[in-house]
Amino acid sequence: MPTELLKTLILDLPPSCIAFSPSSPAHFVVGTYRLKNEEAGSVDPTVVRDGSLVAIRLSKPGELRIIQTFSVSSAVLDLRFSPHNPDIVAVATSTGAVLLFSFNHESASPLIQIKSVELVTASLQILVLSLAWAPFSPSFLAFTLSDGAVGVLDVDQDMVIFKIPQAHSLEAWVVAWSNRNEPPALYTGGDDSAICCHHFWDQTRPIETSQDSSSSSAVLHDRKSHGAGITAILPLRPDRKDAEIILTGSYDEHIRVLRVVPGPSRPKVLAEKRLDGGVWQMQHLKVEDDPVSADQNGECVSILASCMHAGCRVLEIRLSQDDNWTIDTVGAFEGHKSMNYASDAQMEPSGKKLGDLTFISTSFYDKKLCLWRLQDIERC
């Protein structure tokens, strides 16, 4: 389906992540990332990064207004509003810390920093790459690190209560909580092409596993289902018995529907589609109240994918009544000339269809932010 570009905005720094405010649909926050050495042409081996959080208001008809720029002494790699308290946002930084902010959309300066929690010493130059709030606890925040570690932070106690130091042999790009809460589990994907599922152990006591014991914590560790690093994971729903249906995105330019069963068995690839760019991020587009909508043709879920040099894709992932999964592209926005790492969408107050969504997407090197819509779209 065709897209309609409504507005563009050039930011001061390269955008790396973005999220609409759950409590105020007219506001969103952009995280930025700058490698200062590269920009200055420095030969200093010490990598210096900085960034910012940019609060932007979306007003009709298609106007964008920056209302606050909060400078950060590190680059921002991910930001996540809490599903339990929509006025709290967690920020992943390049200096090994998680920042917590409050967001008050009625204020002239909506972002106020609450705290900074150091996960690793800044001098080690280990980056916090991704974050995921636990669906069952307002204080548990999962994280991944550039050294391959995976963990869970209790933001109330400022304490890491679960950690697997070498969950991945290379960068751990992404973390997502399983939709099965008994027992709680984490999916992680890394630059080592591995997708893992780890049981989240007793949250009442701090845990620091050794390298040997960390290998037994993974109830799933598969390196053969993907042709390159795994950069996006989106659990869809539980399946038969102990299985779960998840989506994955990879540097190999494919999105896949997997059926995962905890244990030594490889995930079963139920469907896959090449999107012509590395699938860096995926988001569920909630066109109805149900996480996965059902119609006379089976089940359907709509997804927004940020596909690096290929731009944005809007996808329909369908399960037919005869139990076959398919992936279809229903919209593509290709108005970016550099890497699309961050995108989000917001439904109009009375909207229900994909055509009622407003999309924001960004490109990294040209610092471009685009506001766009889908035209003539029929929902699945």
Side-chain angles (χ1 to χ4, degrees):
M1 295 292 178
T3 60
E4 178 188 5
L5 177 64
L6 303 176
K7 186 76 173 180
T8 61
L9 184 67
I10 303 301
L11 302 173
D12 291 336
L13 297 177
S16 55
C17 49
I18 185 172
F20 272 98
S21 164
S23 61
S24 175
H27 292 81
F28 61 93
V29 179
V30 179
T32 69
Y33 179 118
R34 176 173 60 174
L35 192 62
K36 296 181 70 174
N37 306 56
E38 183 178 82
E39 184 172 284
S42 172
V43 295
D44 187 345
T46 303
V47 178
V48 179
R49 302 176 179 89
D50 69 353
S52 62
L53 295 171
V54 185
I56 300 177
R57 178 177 173 81
L58 170 62
S59 58
K60 295 181 180 180
E63 291 298 319
L64 299 168
R65 184 168 66 91
I66 295 176
I67 55 178
Q68 182 186 12
T69 299
F70 189 104
S71 297
V72 183
S73 59
S74 57
V76 175
L77 290 101
D78 196 11
L79 63 90
R80 301 285 171 174
F81 280 92
S82 168
H84 308 281
N85 183 345
D87 295 324
I88 297 295
V89 59
V91 175
T93 74
S94 62
T95 51
V98 170
L99 310 180
L100 285 187
F101 287 81
S102 63
F103 187 85
N104 179 3
H105 66 271
E106 296 181 347
S107 171
S109 298
L111 287 162
I112 298 176
Q113 185 172 336
I114 301 172
K115 65 170 66 177
S116 173
V117 182
E118 186 179 82
L119 302 179
V120 291
T121 304
S123 61
L124 296 177
Q125 297 201 20
I126 295 173
L127 288 66
V128 184
L129 297 179
S130 68
L131 301 171
W133 290 98
F136 54 87
S137 170
S139 63
F140 291 171
L141 181 68
F143 62 86
T144 64
L145 302 179
S146 60
D147 66 353
V150 172
V152 176
L153 170 70
D154 186 328
V155 299
D156 288 344
Q157 300 184 57
D158 297 348
M159 181 172 64
V160 174
I161 60 171
F162 174 79
K163 189 174 182 183
I164 305 172
Q166 294 184 337
H168 292 269
S169 59
L170 297 171
E171 291 92 339
W173 287 121
V174 62
V175 61
W177 289 92
S178 167
N179 283 321
R180 292 183 175 275
N181 292 334
E182 295 296 336
L186 293 164
Y187 290 108
T188 60
D191 210 47
D192 53 4
S193 302
I195 181 167
C196 301
C197 182
H198 314 273
H199 279 148
F200 173 49
W201 300 330
D202 186 359
Q203 65 259 34
T204 64
R205 60 183 179 88
I207 299 174
E208 179 71 28
T209 64
S210 67
Q211 180 178 351
D212 291 337
S213 63
S214 70
S215 63
S216 64
S217 71
V219 293
L220 168 71
H221 188 94
D222 171 59
R223 292 176 180 264
K224 297 182 179 180
S225 298
H226 301 78
I230 298 167
T231 47
I233 299 174
L234 184 61
L236 287 185
R237 61 166 175 79
D239 199 35
R240 297 180 295 272
K241 296 183 180 180
D242 294 329
E244 187 166 11
I245 303 298
I246 70 170
L247 301 180
T248 62
S250 172
Y251 278 134
D252 67 10
E253 302 187 352
H254 284 75
I255 182 173
R256 293 175 174 86
V257 181
L258 301 182
R259 185 174 186 267
V260 177
V261 180
S265 300
R266 284 180 59 186
K268 183 177 181 179
V269 179
L270 303 175
E272 60 183 330
K273 184 180 181 67
R274 183 173 180 177
L275 299 183
D276 299 322
V279 184
W280 184 256
Q281 185 187 74
M282 296 183 299
Q283 289 170 273
H284 178 206
L285 299 174
K286 297 183 179 179
V287 295
E288 283 193 340
D289 291 335
D290 295 332
V292 180
S293 61
D295 60 20
Q296 66 273 18
N297 298 316
E299 297 180 359
C300 180
V301 61
S302 300
I303 299 295
L304 174 63
S306 300
C307 299
M308 300 177 73
H309 63 268
C312 286
R313 298 289 186 272
V314 179
L315 309 168
E316 285 181 355
I317 299 172
R318 185 184 294 276
L319 173 64
S320 66
Q321 290 187 334
D322 57 0
D323 210 30
N324 290 318
W325 289 87
T326 57
I327 305 172
D328 296 308
T329 301
V330 297
F333 181 76
E334 299 176 338
H336 293 290
K337 302 304 181 184
S338 71
M339 301 294 244
N340 168 223
Y341 289 123
S343 310
D344 202 359
Q346 185 65 269
M347 184 67 73
E348 292 180 356
S350 59
K352 293 182 179 180
K353 303 182 297 183
L354 287 175
D356 298 326
L357 287 164
T358 298
F359 295 87
I360 297 285
S361 59
T362 64
S363 42
F364 190 78
Y365 296 106
D366 57 5
K367 309 171 189 175
K368 188 176 181 180
L369 185 147
C370 294
L371 173 69
W372 53 278
R373 299 178 69 90
L374 291 169
Q375 295 180 318
D376 302 323
I377 192 77
E378 294 183 3
R379 65 173 304 273
C380 56

